[in-house]
Each structure stands twice: as C-alpha cells, then as structure tokens.
C-alpha cells in the first residue's frame, strides 16, 4: 500500500481547527497539567477515555452527548447546531471510522495534547486533540487534522 497525501483535506481541517470537537466531563483521575512533558498514566487514561467516549457518541450520531464532551469555552463560542454541521461537513470520518489508535500525549500548564490516528474507509487521518481543564472538568477544546492520506493498493 502506498500513502498519498491529501493536502486539500489538510488545509480544510486546519482552517476550522480552532473551532472543532468538544469535551466536558468530570473525571475522578488526576488531570493536573502542572508539569511539562509526557502525560502521566492517569492523565493518559482519562484523556483516551474522554476522546473515545466522544467518538462513540459520533458513531451513534448522538449529537447532544458528543457536544457534552466540549470544554465550556468551546461551547461558549460554538453552538450545538454549528458543531454538528462542522462534524458532518469536515469530520465525517469520525462518524464512520474503522478504528483508531492513540499516540503521544503531552501535558503543559495550558492543557493536554493527544495525538490520534483514525482510519476510515481507505483513508487515514492524523489528528491532535487539545484538551483543557476548566473547574476540574476535562474538555476537548479543539482537534486539528495534521495529515490525511489515502491508502492506495498498487
């Protein structure tokens, strides 16, 4: 298989990256981001559970639940209808994915960055999620498409 870059999708994804996905849940794990570097074990579990829960809501087309994983600041700037439209138009691969894997997770005082690879049909997407803590609740503030590639059999 050969991976061919899809720069048009990448450009589109970057244009709306600051206003994308969502997250807002209270977690019993320690999500402190007071140190720089790799996420601790509890942080990584909390972050991957949070993102997985949102993806599961997308797969079920449960927009209210998916929107509920948003950070409060995201929800203040993007309403539920706009959120749904963005996902359907630009991130439909989250709804119809055929699997995903988590990569590096890094923490800093501003939040947590989680890399994720998502497969959908014959394409693979590399994203980075930006999660923040607001009043002790973890929330997805943005997701940026880093690369989008098509798997081509030769």
């Amino acid at each position: 298989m050969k991976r061919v870059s899809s720069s048009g999708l990448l450009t589109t994804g970057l244009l709306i990256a600051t206003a994308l996905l969502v997250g807002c849940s209270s977690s019993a794990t320690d999500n402190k981001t007071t140190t720089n570097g790799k996420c601790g074990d509890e942080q990584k579990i909390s972050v991957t559970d949070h993102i997985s829960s949102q993806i599961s809501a997308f797969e079920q087309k449960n927009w209210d639940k998916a929107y509920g994983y948003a950070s409060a600041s995201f929800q203040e700037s993007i309403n539920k209808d706009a959120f749904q439209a963005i996902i359907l138009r630009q991130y439909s691969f989250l709804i119809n994915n055929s699997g995903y894997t988590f990569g590096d997770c890094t923490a800093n005082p501003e939040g947590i960055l989680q890399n994720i690879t998502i497969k959908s049909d014959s394409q693979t997407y590399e994203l980075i999620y930006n999660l923040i803590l607001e009043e002790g609740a973890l929330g997805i503030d943005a997701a940026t498409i880093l690369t989008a590639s098509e798997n081509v059999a030769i």
Side-chain angles (χ1 to χ4, degrees), residues 63-86:
W63 300 109
D64 290 337
K65 187 174 183 181
Y67 189 74
Y69 290 98
S71 66
S73 56
F74 178 91
Q75 291 183 20
E76 288 173 9
S77 61
I78 304 293
N79 69 37
K80 221 180 297 183
D81 291 336
F83 168 73
Q84 182 177 347
I86 290 168

Side-chain angles (χ1 to χ4, degrees), residues 56-128:
S56 178
F58 286 139
E59 293 167 343
Q60 298 165 16
K61 297 184 181 168
N62 186 337
W63 300 109
D64 290 337
K65 187 174 183 181
Y67 189 74
Y69 290 98
S71 66
S73 56
F74 178 91
Q75 291 183 20
E76 288 173 9
S77 61
I78 304 293
N79 69 37
K80 221 180 297 183
D81 291 336
F83 168 73
Q84 182 177 347
I86 290 168
I87 299 303
L88 289 170
R89 187 174 54 251
Q90 303 296 330
Y91 293 83
S92 62
F93 60 87
L94 291 168
I95 300 165
N96 302 309
N97 76 80
S98 58
Y100 53 91
T101 56
F102 291 96
D104 291 337
C105 179
T106 56
N108 61 53
E110 288 78 43
I112 298 172
L113 299 174
Q114 174 65 61
N115 288 68
I116 183 171
T117 302
I118 301 174
K119 294 190 178 196
S120 180
D121 298 324
S122 62
Q123 294 188 319
T124 301
Y125 303 86
E126 303 285 337
L127 285 82
I128 189 161

